[in-house]
Amino acid sequence: MTAPRTPSDGPEAPLALLRTAHTADLRAAELDAARALMDLAFEGDFSDEDWAHGLGGMHALRYDADGTLLAHGSVVQRRVLHHGRSLRVGYVENVAVRPERQRQGLGGQVMSALERIVGGGYDLGVLSPSDEGEKLYRAHGWVSWPGLVGTLGPRGVEHMPDEEAPMLWNADLDPAHPLLIDWRDGDVF
């Protein structure tokens, strides 16, 4: 799959090495390449449900000069209830880099693009880090939530005392009050 060119690009135009686009604006081949990257990067431990969590929002895709997808991430809107407020959250999902290209700054490029989207359209950013990704997120200013977490689920508020702490970006929240995220099938965080 080759990297896309913008509609005004002529045949000699340079490739768009870092592209941001909504799920609806991605071609089927681009989505297939991103899904395949998740399987490759997570060594087959990435379900269709995990993939679906990252659809319906904005994607950041990093290509090489030949048009091969090297890195991907997405941000989708979710809601968090905190201390009597409902906050619009940019939830970061499906961040991955081709294994042979990790530790070369590509994940950082994707995160910078996603943080621009979060900063311009949401109250704060939230993500659930993998052990491998946590160092990248910390380098970008993401911090672990020190308070309690839960969800507003089908049976009302459900506290999740055993849930690993999510990471937040651009947030000034009081950890004395729990962070309740909207319900979804599969992993809530």
Side-chain angles (χ1 to χ4, degrees), residues 158-182:
E158 297 179 34
H159 294 285
M160 304 168 71
D162 298 327
E163 180 70 26
E164 290 187 33
M167 296 184 83
L168 309 181
W169 183 79
N170 200 28
D172 184 21
L173 304 179
D174 183 354
H177 302 278
L179 196 67
L180 302 175
I181 199 156
D182 56 353

Side-chain angles (χ1 to χ4, degrees), residues 1-7 16-22 24-27 30 58-63 69 71-73 110 113-114 116-117:
M1 201 213 84
T2 59
R5 300 175 194 276
T6 62
L17 295 180
L18 180 62
R19 177 176 186 224
T20 58
H22 192 275
D25 295 325
L26 295 175
R27 298 184 314 248
E30 291 176 286
M58 294 295 292
H59 298 256
L61 305 105
R62 174 59 165 86
Y63 297 92
L69 183 62
H72 171 274
V110 164
L114 296 177
R116 182 187 60 77
I117 293 165

Side-chain angles (χ1 to χ4, degrees), residues 93-105:
E93 293 278 5
N94 299 353
V95 177
V97 177
R98 292 183 66 82
E100 72 275 11
R101 297 296 303 267
Q102 292 176 358
R103 312 283 185 269
Q104 297 176 12

Side-chain angles (χ1 to χ4, degrees), residues 145-160:
W145 171 247
L148 298 174
V149 296
T151 186
L152 185 57
R155 295 181 298 272
V157 172
E158 297 179 34
H159 294 285
M160 304 168 71

Side-chain angles (χ1 to χ4, degrees), residues 21-175:
H22 192 275
T23 302
D25 295 325
L26 295 175
R27 298 184 314 248
E30 291 176 286
L31 288 168
D32 290 345
R35 178 64 176 97
L37 175 61
M38 297 303 118
D39 286 331
L40 180 65
F42 288 96
E43 299 175 340
D45 188 23
F46 195 86
S47 71
D48 289 340
E49 195 168 65
D50 294 331
W51 172 245
H53 288 164
L55 300 177
M58 294 295 292
H59 298 256
L61 305 105
R62 174 59 165 86
Y63 297 92
D64 69 8
D66 295 326
T68 301
L69 183 62
L70 302 177
H72 171 274
S74 62
V75 61
V76 296
Q77 181 173 312
R78 296 189 68 188
R79 286 283 178 175
V80 164
L81 297 177
H82 179 72
H83 195 38
R85 293 179 56 211
S86 176
L87 302 169
R88 191 177 57 256
V89 170
Y91 200 91
V92 173
E93 293 278 5
N94 299 353
V95 177
V97 177
R98 292 183 66 82
E100 72 275 11
R101 297 296 303 267
Q102 292 176 358
R103 312 283 185 269
Q104 297 176 12
L106 301 172
Q109 292 174 23
V110 164
M111 285 305 297
S112 291
L114 296 177
E115 289 159 357
R116 182 187 60 77
I117 293 165
V118 170
Y122 298 95
D123 296 317
L124 66 140
V126 179
L127 61 77
S128 180
S130 65
D131 291 339
E132 298 80 17
E134 189 170 342
K135 184 177 178 182
L136 166 67
Y137 306 133
R138 286 198 187 287
H140 276 250
W142 292 75
V143 296
S144 294
W145 171 247
L148 298 174
V149 296
T151 186
L152 185 57
R155 295 181 298 272
V157 172
E158 297 179 34
H159 294 285
M160 304 168 71
D162 298 327
E163 180 70 26
E164 290 187 33
M167 296 184 83
L168 309 181
W169 183 79
N170 200 28
D172 184 21
L173 304 179
D174 183 354

